[in-house]
Structures are given as structure tokens and as C-alpha cells.
């Protein structure tokens, strides 16, 4: 039976990889229909196989073993191995389901694009890369999947390579992620140097005995090795999961087609960092310093990126900054040792965020690729299905019960409130403020897009209609878990043994245990109802309601108010529009600075020092010496004879002096 399951585990990523190769290499031969058929069938099969694996894991069956050894160097094995447990199985279902919906949606969104087959190849390959990442049982394979999703994201963000903005965006994403990945690689190297292995089980088993191990990075200054490893790993997570200050690439990733925006932001790539920290919880729990760093960085991202969502007018960028903020919430949960809640929010967020992105794409199709919300309005009656699903997505994002986002977001806030880790007080204030801001910009998008008077030209208005079924069906299917996921998974993920033996939390950091004690004795539906009733009298709920009402006031009741508010706080508005100056700073210091260093080294290091001094200087010395010797080569015999006589006299004089001495 185990051998049969091993073949199923292997089949899940391969049924994504093989169609990607077929669509990529043979796209012209199989045509557009062939390309989307093989990839959709492949990812769909991966989803059903993932569900089968999930049910098997829920029955108590897990797997941790090597599938293939592809090389041994210096006694170090390079292995392909799988770790199949509740965390892996959950991620497999989320990744494959969202990817499957995106694949179906792409038929409608990309139907007239000349790179149709290539796009399907890329998104299927993206899914394969993410599956290899989440299914790995060692840090080496994790790094392979980590780099693979980065590479494919580069191809997808720059998919429309004729656009300068797309090329700029994919290069920016690639370079920023390399910064994070460098830290991640150092962390993996430190793990191997400390533990002598990169296998999860071996590392996690040995970690408690090496908790006091130190390292001297700067001579005379000792660092706790576990803290160093965790911070290096988290730097990798900061790049992939777009945490401040390595967040700058994610908004620009909107230059890629909308389906890939949904896939990157919902289920792949950006969730990799969250997954990795949750997977390595046995290490992070041994360093409170590392947890505090994670907590503070997450809080900064959650609050300050939410503020940027307030001033965006591009419909996709509003949703993009929402992703940044929600990733901050997940990171805050990780820092508070609420790893299970972080994964719970990762799952609920995947559904409603994919829904919002694909809904935005549906609007963009109807608006003939117009993305400015100031040129929309009044689409509610013209696009009823898109509107209904957008309402569900917005309510879930705002954290309104009974939608999925309410349960996971409320649990994060409660976890931070219960935490005693340094920085938890600041984080609690940040995530509370983020609730109101999130609700405001979510419904600002909804009201500006679907309500009020139409603000587009007559020609566009005349041609606006509901999107085709290949676009609408994924919206409806994503809307269902956006409503039900909270009911279904809150109790098992947060208050039961769902992650027992998978995620490790020390007794002093057990925030979920403290929250669960409030609802002791309640299970199933009664627990869910008790949590909802408690949440509806708590501050986060009323902050969310306040944010929605304020958005209604600003964009429905008195639409002239936003302009007046902007005029009264112009300096703050300019700071937000300029994204706190991160892009300008990176462009001035890192991009232009690197160019200037390159020009300086080219001018003074290469042209003047190497070419000018060493190469040309040597040539000039030889030339000068040869000019000095040239007169001696006259061709006259008497001159040569005279020189020989002088030479002999010189030698005789020298010998005589030596003899006398």
C-alpha cells in the first residue's frame, strides 16, 4: 500500500510537469485547444490526487522518505524526497485547486493572446515548482522549488515582453528575490554546518541539544547559532513573501497577465515563505529573538502596506497591496507562534484573494483592458455574477462573519493579543488598525467599480457585458470556499490535533491553547457559533464595520469628500503615492549606485589601472627601453669593436678590484 501511495505522491507534481513540457515544446503542433486541454487535465488530476492524499493523511497515514538519489558528492547525498503530513496535504489541495481554477479562467482571459500555449506551459510549470517546494522533506529540495518558483515568476511577470514596464517588473522581482534567497542559502549552509544534514527530521530532532551553540560572525562577537539560522531563513521568507523592506517587487508583478497575478498572490510563491517558517517551527521556537523579528516585520508590513492600498486607483494594485498586508498578518501569526493560524489564514486568503483577482480580471475584460477604477462605476447590473462574487470576496477580506476571512483574521488578532513575545504590543495595535483600513479599501474598490454612475465613455459602456462562462465558473467555485472554509476548518486547524507532530509550539508560546481555553467544552457547530458571537462584540468586527461605512460615505453618499480629504492631508497623501520612497531609494542608491560603481570601476579600475597602467604602461616601458638601446644598433663594425674593448676593460677592472678586495 505504501508503494502505491508513493507512486501517487510522485504523480501529483509530474502530472503538472509533463503537460507543461508538452505545451511548451509542442505548442504549435497541438494548437491552442491541445495546450489548454493537457494542462487543465493535468492540474485537475493533480487536485483530485491531492484530495485523495489529504483524506489518506486525515486517516492517520503519513510518509517521510527518499524517492530518488540523483547524486552523492563528498558523502553529501542529493535526494528527491517527500514529507507527506497534514501541513503538506493542506498545501497540496490549496495550490492545485487555485491553480486549476486559474487554468480554466485563462481560456477566457488569454483567448486572443499570441503566447497562449506558452502561458499555459508556464503556469503549469509554476504549479509543479510550488508542489516540489511544499512536498520536500529536505532543505535542498526546498531550495530547488524555492528557486524554481522564482524563475517561473520571472517568465510570467515579463510574459508581455514587448512592454518596457513588464521587463522592468520581472527584473525587479528577480533581483529583489535574489537578495532574500542569498540569506536563505546562508541559513541552509549554516544548518548543514551545524547539524551535518539538511533532512528535516534529522535537523529538527537534533535542534534542542544545540540550542546554546554560538557562532562568531564578527571576531569577538558571539551570536546564538539558532537565532542566526532562523533570521537567515526568515530573510529568504521576506523576499518570497514580500515583507518590508523586500516587498517592492510584488506590486509591480501586476504587469503580468491577471491569471498569474492571482496565482502568485493566492497560492504560490508569496505563500512559500509562510509555509517555510511554519515547517521550520521546531527551529524558530528555540529563538525568541527570531520570533520577535518575525512579529515586528509582519506588523510593519500589515499596517503600512494597507495604507498604500488606500491611494491606489489601479484595480489590480489595490488587490496587490491587500496581498502585501494580508501576508503581513500571516507573518505576525508566525511571530506570535500561531503557526496553525498562519496556515489557516493562508488557506482562506488563497480562496478569496484568487476570487478578487479573477473578479478584477473579469472587469478588465469587460472594460477592454482598462484598469483605472476612476473610469469605471455602475457595473453592478451589467455584470451580476462578477459583482456577487466580488461582494463575497470583499466581505471575506474585510473579515465580516460568517465569511472565511473573519475566522482566520480574528484568530490572528487574538493570538497576537495573547502573545508575550517582545513586540507583541506594537503588533496588536498594528493589526487592529489594519482591520479598519482593509475594510475601507476593499469596499472602496467595490463601490468605485460597481456602484454609482458609469464613468467610462459611451462606446465602452455600450459594450460592457458579463464575462463568458470559463471566467464566471471559476469565480463561483472560488466563492464557495470563501464562504465555507472558516466553518469547515477553524476547529480542526486551530483547536485540535490537526498539526500534531508537524508544527511544534513550546508551552510558554502556546497562544492557541490560551484562546481555546475560552471555548472549553464546545465543539463543532457550537464552537463556531460561540466564536462568531464573541467576534461580533469584539473591537476588530466594529472596526471592520466602521471601515465599510466610511467607504460608503466617501464613495456613495458624498463622493466629493475624498478630494477634500486629500487636499487637507496632501503631504501624507504624497508620501503614500510615492510608496514611502522605497522605489526611489532603491533606484537612487542600489540601481543608480551600482551603475555608478560599475562606471567608476570601468573608468579607473579597467581603463586606467589595468589597461592604462599595467598593459599600456608595460608597453611604454618596453618602448622607451628599446628607444634607448636603438642607437647602439648602428651596423658599423668599428663601433661594435670599440664597445667590445670598453667591455673588456670594464670586466678586467672589476676582476682586479675583486682580487685586491
Amino acid at each position: 500500500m505504501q508503494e502505491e501511495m508513493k507512486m501517487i505522491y510522485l504523480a501529483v507534481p509530474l502530472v503538472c510537469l509533463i503537460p507543461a513540457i508538452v505545451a511548451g515544446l509542442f505548442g504549435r503542433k497541438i494548437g491552442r485547444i491541445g495546450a489548454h486541454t493537457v494542462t487543465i487535465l493535468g492540474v485537475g488530476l493533480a487536485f483530485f490526487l491531492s484530495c485523495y492524499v489529504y483524506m489518506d493523511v486525515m486517516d492517520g497515514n503519513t510518509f517521510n522518505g527518499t524517492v530518488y538519489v540523483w547524486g552523492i558528492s563528498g558523502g553529501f547525498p542529493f535526494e528527491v524526497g517527500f514529507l507527506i503530513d497534514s501541513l503538506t496535504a493542506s498545501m497540496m489541495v490549496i495550490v492545485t485547486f487555485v491553480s486549476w481554477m486559474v487554468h480554466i479562467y485563462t481560456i477566457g482571459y488569454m483567448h486572443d493572446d499570441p503566447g497562449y500555449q506558452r502561458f499555459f506551459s508556464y503556469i503549469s510549470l509554476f504549479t509543479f515548482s510550488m508542489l516540489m517546494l511544499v512536498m520536500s522533506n529536505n532543505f535542498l529540495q526546498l531550495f530547488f522549488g524555492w528557486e524554481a518558483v522564482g524563475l517561473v515568476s520571472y517568465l510570467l511577470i515579463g510574459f508581455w515582453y514587448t512592454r518596457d514596464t513588464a521587463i522592468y517588473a520581472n527584473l525587479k522581482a528577480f533581483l529583489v528575490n535574489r537578495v532574500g534567497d542569498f540569506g536563505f542559502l546562508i541559513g541552509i549552509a549554516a544548518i548543514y554546518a551545524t547539524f551535518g544534514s539538511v533532512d528535516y527530521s534529522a535537523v529538527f530532532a537534533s535542534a534542542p541539544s544545540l540550542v546554546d551553540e554560538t557562532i562568531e560572525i564578527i571576531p569577538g562577537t558571539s551570536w546564538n547559532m539558532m537565532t542566526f539560522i532562523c533570521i537567515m531563513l526568515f530573510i529568504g521568507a521576506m523576499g518570497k513573501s514580500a515583507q518590508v523592506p523586500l516587498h517592492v517587487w510584488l506590486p509591480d508583478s501586476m504587469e503580468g497577465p491577471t491569471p498569474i497575478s492571482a496565482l502568485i498572490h493566492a497560492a504560490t510563491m508569496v505563500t512559500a515563505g509562510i509555509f517555510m517558517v511554519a515547517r521550520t517551527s521546531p527551529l524558530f521556537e528555540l529563538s525568541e529573538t527570531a520570533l520577535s523579528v518575525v512579529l515586528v516585520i509582519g506588523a510593519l508590513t500589515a499596517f503600512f502596506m494597507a495604507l498604500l492600498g488606500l491611494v491606489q486607483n489601479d484595480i489590480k494594485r489595490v488587490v496587490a497591496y491587500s496581498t502585501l498586508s494580508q501576508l503581513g498578518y500571516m507573518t505576525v501569526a508566525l511571530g506570535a507562534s500561531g503557526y496553525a493560524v498562519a496556515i489557516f489564514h493562508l488557506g482562506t486568503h488563497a480562496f478569496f484573494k484568487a476570487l478578487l483577482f479573477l473578479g478584477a480580471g473579469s472587469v478588465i475584460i469587460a472594460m477592454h483592458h482598462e484598469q483605472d477604477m476612476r473610469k469605471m462605476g455602475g457595473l453592478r447590473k451589467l455584470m451580476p455574477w462578477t459583482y456577487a462574487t466580488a461582494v463575497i470576496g470583499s466581505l471575506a477580506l474585510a473579515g465580516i462573519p460568517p465569511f472565511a476571512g473573519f475566522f482566520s483574521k480574528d484568530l490572528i488578532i487574538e493570538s497576537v493579543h495573547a502573545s508575550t513575545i517582545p513586540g507583541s504590543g506594537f503588533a496588536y495595535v498594528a493589526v487592529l488598525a489594519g482591520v479598519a483600513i482593509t475594510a475601507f479599501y476593499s469596499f472602496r474598490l467595490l463601490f468605485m467599480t460597481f456602484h454609482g454612475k458609469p464613468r467610462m465613455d459611451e462606446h465602452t459602456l455600450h459594450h460592457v457585458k458579463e464575462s463568458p462562462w470559463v471566467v464566471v465558473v471559476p469565480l463561483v467555485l472560488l466563492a464557495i470556499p470563501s464562504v465555507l472554509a472558516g466553518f469547515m476548518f477553524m476547529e480542526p486547524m486551530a483547536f485540535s490535533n490537526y498539526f500534531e507532530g508537524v508544527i511544534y509550539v513550546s508551552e510558554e508560546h502556546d497562544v492557541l491553547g490560551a484562546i481555546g481555553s475560552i471555548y472549553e467544552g464546545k465543539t463543532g457547530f457550537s464552537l463556531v457559533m460561540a466564536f462568531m458571537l464573541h467576534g461580533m462584540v469584539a473591537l476588530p468586527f466594529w472596526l471592520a464595520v466602521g471601515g465599510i461605512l466610511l467607504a460608503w460615505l466617501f464613495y456613495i453618499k458624498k463622493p466629493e469628500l475624498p478630494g477634500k480629504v486629500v487636499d487637507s492631508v496632501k503631504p501624507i497623501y504624497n508620501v503614500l503615492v510615492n510608496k514611502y520612497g522605497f522605489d526611489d531609494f532603491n533606484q537612487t542608491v542600489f540601481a543608480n549606485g551600482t551603475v555608478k560603481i560599475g562606471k567608476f570601476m570601468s573608468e579607473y579600475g579597467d581603463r586606467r589601472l589595468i589597461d592604462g597602467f599595467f598593459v599600456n604602461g608595460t608597453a611604454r616601458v618596453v618602448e622607451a627601453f628599446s628607444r634607448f638601446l636603438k642607437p647602439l644598433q648602428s651596423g658599423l663594425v668599428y663601433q661594435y669593436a670599440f664597445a667590445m674593448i670598453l667591455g673588456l676593460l670594464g670586466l678586467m677592472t672589476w676582476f682586479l678590484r675583486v682580487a685586491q678586495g
Side-chain angles (χ1 to χ4, degrees), residues 54-384:
Y54 179 83
M55 297 303 295
D56 188 59
V57 170
M58 292 299 102
D59 288 337
N61 301 312
T62 59
F63 176 82
N64 181 18
T66 301
V67 177
Y68 178 66
V69 179
W70 57 274
I72 298 175
S73 177
F76 180 82
F78 295 87
E79 299 175 344
V80 176
F82 292 149
L83 172 58
I84 309 298
D85 52 25
S86 55
L87 177 58
T88 303
S90 300
M91 290 296 298
M92 287 167 67
V93 172
I94 293 168
V95 169
T96 53
F97 177 70
V98 174
S99 180
W100 193 29
M101 295 298 102
V102 168
H103 274 69
I104 297 170
Y105 178 94
T106 300
I107 297 173
Y109 193 89
M110 302 289 288
H111 69 278
D112 57 351
D113 196 282
Y116 190 85
Q117 295 97 312
R118 179 165 56 92
F119 189 80
F120 272 99
S121 174
Y122 287 172
I123 58 176
S124 192
L125 185 61
F126 203 29
T127 309
F128 161 77
S129 303
M130 189 66 186
L131 287 169
M132 290 299 292
L133 189 156
V134 301
M135 295 174 71
S136 62
N137 74 339
N138 62 84
F139 285 98
L140 185 66
Q141 187 179 323
L142 174 70
F143 188 72
F144 164 78
W146 195 269
E147 292 301 305
V149 293
L151 173 63
V152 184
S153 72
Y154 172 83
L155 298 173
L156 284 162
I157 294 168
F159 181 79
W160 288 321
Y161 53 83
T162 56
R163 300 181 182 178
D164 291 340
T165 51
I167 298 302
Y168 177 81
N170 74 348
L171 186 61
K172 188 177 183 179
F174 191 80
L175 292 176
V176 172
N177 271 276
R178 295 295 71 73
V179 175
D181 293 354
F182 182 66
F184 188 53
L185 191 58
I186 292 174
I188 294 173
I191 287 172
Y192 183 68
T194 305
F195 300 96
S197 175
V198 291
D199 183 78
Y200 290 160
S201 55
V203 171
F204 297 159
S206 304
S209 62
L210 298 171
V211 68
D212 295 323
E213 193 82 9
T214 58
I215 182 175
E216 283 195 7
I217 302 170
I218 302 170
T221 306
S222 294
W223 282 49
N224 180 271
M225 178 58 95
M226 207 62 63
T227 298
F228 175 75
I229 288 172
C230 290
I231 288 176
M232 288 297 106
L233 292 178
F234 181 63
I235 289 173
M238 286 170 65
K240 278 289 180 288
S241 295
Q243 298 296 290
V244 173
L246 301 181
H247 68 283
V248 293
W249 68 271
L250 193 60
D252 287 340
S253 70
M254 297 300 98
E255 291 297 330
T258 298
I260 196 53
S261 300
L263 198 54
I264 288 177
H265 287 244
T268 58
M269 188 137 171
V270 296
T271 60
I274 308 300
F275 165 81
M276 183 272 292
V277 175
R279 174 61 78 194
T280 53
S281 61
L283 302 181
F284 278 85
E285 283 299 295
L286 300 175
S287 174
E288 194 163 277
T289 303
L291 287 174
S292 186
V293 170
V294 174
L295 186 67
V296 172
I297 293 292
L300 290 170
T301 306
F303 177 70
F304 287 104
M305 294 302 106
L307 287 175
L308 295 185
L310 297 173
V311 299
Q312 304 301 314
N313 293 311
D314 185 307
I315 189 170
K316 284 177 65 177
R317 287 186 178 263
V318 175
V319 188
Y321 279 105
S322 159
T323 300
L324 281 168
S325 180
Q326 295 307 303
L327 287 167
Y329 274 87
M330 297 176 211
T331 306
V332 164
L334 295 170
S337 291
Y339 307 98
V341 178
I343 298 300
F344 181 33
H345 193 56
L346 185 156
T348 60
H349 174 264
F351 300 130
F352 65 72
K353 186 52 55 72
L355 175 61
L356 286 170
F357 262 114
L358 298 187
S362 178
V363 171
I364 292 168
I365 294 170
M367 294 290 298
H368 303 287
H369 294 276
E370 175 61 66
Q371 296 182 195
D372 193 334
M373 295 187 300
R374 293 170 296 184
K375 299 178 182 178
M376 297 178 187
L379 299 180
R380 176 167 57 94
K381 294 181 180 179
L382 300 171
M383 304 179 71

Side-chain angles (χ1 to χ4, degrees), residues 8-53:
I8 292 174
Y9 303 149
L10 193 59
V12 173
L14 288 181
V15 294
C16 298
L17 176 62
I18 294 170
I21 295 171
V22 172
L25 298 181
F26 308 102
R28 290 185 179 180
K29 292 185 178 180
I30 64 175
R32 297 161 75 91
I33 294 174
H36 74 233
T37 301
V38 294
T39 51
I40 290 172
L41 288 176
V43 177
L45 180 58
F47 168 65
F48 287 110
L49 289 175
S50 297
C51 290
Y52 182 79
V53 170

Side-chain angles (χ1 to χ4, degrees), residues 526-598:
S526 64
L527 173 61
V528 172
M529 292 306 298
F531 187 84
M532 282 179 58
L533 291 171
H534 178 268
M536 290 174 71
V537 297
L539 183 58
F541 171 75
W542 292 108
L543 286 171
V545 171
I548 294 170
L549 291 174
L550 192 63
W552 174 82
L553 177 66
F554 272 48
Y555 296 98
I556 300 296
K557 186 70 174 175
K558 295 186 177 181
E560 71 277 3
L561 275 180
K564 293 179 180 178
V565 172
V566 168
D567 291 337
S568 64
V569 291
K570 200 70 175 180
I572 298 173
Y573 177 79
N574 289 335
V575 169
L576 296 178
V577 168
N578 291 322
K579 296 170 279 190
Y580 307 114
F582 275 105
D583 282 346
D584 293 338
F585 178 80
N586 289 335
Q587 187 67 36
T588 304
V589 176
F590 293 112
N592 295 345
T594 304
V595 171
K596 287 178 180 177
I597 291 170

